Amino acid sequence: MKIGLVLGAGAARGWAHIGIIRALQKAGVEIDVIAGCSIGAYVGAAFASGKLDDLETWANSLTEWQVFRLLGVGFRRGGIASGQKVFDKLKSDFCAPTFEGMNIPFACVATDLYSGREVVFNKGEIGDSIQASCAIPALFSPVDHNGRWLVDGAVVNPVPVNQCRQMGADFVIAVNLSADFRPRLIETRELEHQENQRKTDEMLEKASDGFIKKWLSPEVKANKKKPPGIVGVMSSSLEILQARVTRSRLAGEPPDILIEPQLHDVGLLEFHRASEVAEKGSQAVDRLAKQIAFQLNLVQKM
């Protein structure tokens, strides 16, 4: 039986994928094909290339200030950050140069900005495919690829179960990082979502070295009731959109096992919390240990 692993979108929450992969490996689950979207594509590419150890070591070493520098904040065409150093690091240290050079078959998805179509990368040179899959609208600039402008795959397919099926997976384990934006949970965790929005705005302000504050109009800065910042609005809106798209796609293309880590307290840009977030991913697998063992006949290993 061929087992597929789908790693969903979720920005800094995506470090949970590392813990999930580790927990699955410890349980004896052997992954045969991988599909990823956005941060899921970033982690998935490293795992498929046999470089997950290196990625984990680097992610765990990140400090808040290093994240600021890696973002490369500064208003530019199509986005307010480049993140180029992050993608250059992937190419140089964590990823094979071609899809065919990976140890495990791998695919990732992006979105055509103008047609709205899902764009799939699964062969040839890696090039800018991972960067395109991670190009969060308004935060990162869209990627020009073969005459098309591409943005984050999460716009159309945050958890690409269909890609694992198309690669021949008989059994699919999928990771959804957007479970905390279900309607029944939003009301009870509204204050936590507001706090995440505030932290995101604060981090971006620090990363921009005051540039964003200078850019805001005096009227906005003088407002006693401070409105949400530009990135907070963008990130929360995208998370809501992503959660709704995910529910719709998973209803039509359900995986055999769905892993949903509890990440409601993790902000969009809190990449410096890698070890903590990875542990939350590992805990999510532990909660499903008996179900995974039963369905994959791994009772003796779980």
Side-chain angles (χ1 to χ4, degrees), residues 244-266:
R244 290 180 178 272
V245 173
T246 299
R247 289 199 301 274
S248 177
R249 294 296 299 251
L250 290 179
E253 300 164 328
D256 298 284
I257 294 285
L258 181 61
I259 300 173
E260 296 184 312
Q262 297 177 3
L263 304 167
H264 51 87
D265 62 334
V266 182

Side-chain angles (χ1 to χ4, degrees), residues 36-82:
C37 177
S38 200
I39 186 66
Y42 197 98
V43 176
F47 177 45
S49 300
K51 298 286 186 177
L52 188 64
D53 289 347
D54 296 333
L55 174 62
E56 183 176 21
T57 299
W58 176 71
N60 288 341
S61 73
L62 291 176
T63 65
E64 192 171 355
W65 284 108
Q66 285 176 316
V67 173
F68 295 159
R69 290 196 296 270
L70 289 169
L71 283 175
V73 174
F75 283 94
R76 51 182 47 80
R77 179 173 294 183
I80 58 178
S82 69

Side-chain angles (χ1 to χ4, degrees), residues 11-12 15 54 56 64-65 70 74 76 101 110 127 154 162 168 175 180 186 201 204 221 236 253 279 296-297:
W15 292 144
D54 296 333
E56 183 176 21
E64 192 171 355
W65 284 108
L70 289 169
R76 51 182 47 80
N162 61 320
V175 183
D180 294 317
I186 290 178
D201 288 329
L204 194 70
K221 288 188 287 186
S236 289
E253 300 164 328
E279 177 58 28
L296 291 175
N297 296 317

Side-chain angles (χ1 to χ4, degrees), residues 12 19 24 47-48 66 77 99 101 104 140-141 143 149 152 155 168 197 206 215 223 245 275 283:
L24 290 174
F47 177 45
Q66 285 176 316
R77 179 173 294 183
F99 285 90
I104 303 173
F140 296 130
S141 300
V143 173
W149 289 105
D152 197 330
V155 174
Q197 186 181 68
K206 291 179 181 178
W215 177 75
N223 191 335
V245 173
S275 59
Q283 291 169 359

Side-chain angles (χ1 to χ4, degrees), residues 222-240:
N223 191 335
K224 292 183 179 180
K225 186 177 181 180
K226 187 177 180 181
I230 183 173
V231 176
V233 172
M234 175 210 71
S235 63
S236 289
S237 299
L238 186 62
E239 283 183 309
I240 293 169

Side-chain angles (χ1 to χ4, degrees), residues 115-130:
S115 71
R117 293 177 178 173
E118 180 179 337
V119 178
V120 181
F121 295 95
N122 56 19
K123 60 183 178 181
E125 294 185 357
I126 295 296
D128 51 16
S129 61
I130 308 301

